[in-house]
């Protein structure tokens, strides 16, 4: 049985049993540089890891090693599996940046289902890949374009948007209401690999967050700078040379 009478504020809106919410729990806070009593040397130097040679001089340090990403995403998958225990979840991977996170998450969800010993839990998932364009600088909300799926495919479904990074939060703050209005899903939540601590934040908060990161430009693990760095496993901080080296001529 279920251990708790979860609060209705956190319950998914249908008539199934209540679930303890694990949303926004266990978020790992990656500290700012020089925070606390650390030295001025980077905590995770490039020389300690395998980094593609073209990127070694283009990043200042490793911010989140691949292994830590995997471990934390496995926990998110466990939480999601528990919370949607008797439901069919429809994952919407936000391309391209969300693709590595999505892949890790869906593999972990498959493993959890495969290791299930009884047939009492009914969790299952389907997925789609979407591209999202937001028009920042316009005041009206709803100025958002989603391609790769039809709004009518999302009707009545429990949706989980899988996003790499909440920076200003403008895209998600427009996308979620847009989907709610135009697709009439059963529920919409957002899983973000990272949330940036930045003064540019519009206040949007994701439902599931793996890492809380400093206000730095991060690359790797499908996150890019002009399409470079997606093919690097670790999440790193770009440096001045990297910004120059991978500048586009456009
Ligand atoms: N990295 C990559 N892409 C981004 C970032 C970032 O830190 N912020 C907004 N888009
Ligand atoms: Mg990008």
């Amino acid at each position: 049985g279920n251990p708790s009478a979860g609060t209705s504020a956190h319950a998914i809106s249908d008539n199934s049993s209540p679930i303890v919410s694990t949303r926004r729990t266990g978020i790992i806070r990656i500290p700012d540089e020089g925070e606390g009593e650390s030295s001025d040397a980077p905590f995770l130097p490039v020389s300690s890891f395998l980094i593609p040679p073209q990127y070694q001089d283009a990043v200042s340090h490793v911010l989140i090693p691949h292994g830590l990403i995997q471990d934390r995403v496995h926990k998110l998958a466990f939480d999601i599996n528990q919370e949607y225990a008797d439901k069919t979840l429809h994952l919407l991977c936000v391309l391209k940046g969300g693709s590595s996170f999505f892949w890790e998450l869906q593999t972990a969800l498959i493993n959890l289902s495969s290791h299930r010993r009884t047939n009492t839990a009914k969790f299952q998932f389907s997925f789609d890949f979407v591209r999202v364009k937001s028009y920042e600088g316009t005041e009206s909300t709803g100025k958002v374009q989603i391609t790769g799926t039809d709004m009518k495919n999302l009707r009545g479904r429990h949706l989980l948007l899988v996003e790499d990074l909440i920076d200003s939060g403008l895209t998600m703050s427009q996308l979620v209401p847009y989907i709610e209005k135009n697709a009439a899903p059963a529920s919409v939540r957002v899983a973000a690999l990272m949330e940036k601590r930045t003064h540019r934040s519009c206040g949007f908060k994701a439902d599931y967050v793996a890492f809380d990161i400093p206000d730095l430009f991060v690359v790797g693990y499908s996150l890019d700078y002009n399409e470079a760095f997606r093919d690097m496993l670790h999440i790193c901080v770009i440096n001045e040379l990297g910004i120059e080296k991978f500048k586009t001529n456009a």
Side-chain angles (χ1 to χ4, degrees), residues 165 167 196 216-219 223-224:
L165 172 66
D167 194 315
K196 206 180 268 190
L216 300 165
F217 198 88
V218 290
V219 291
L223 283 93
D224 76 307

Side-chain angles (χ1 to χ4, degrees), residues 59-79:
V59 297
S60 63
H61 61 284
V62 174
L63 192 71
I64 317 174
H66 185 230
L68 181 57
I69 299 170
Q70 289 184 307
D71 291 331
R72 179 73 186 115
V73 173
H74 292 172
K75 177 59 162 61
L76 286 191
F78 181 87
D79 292 343

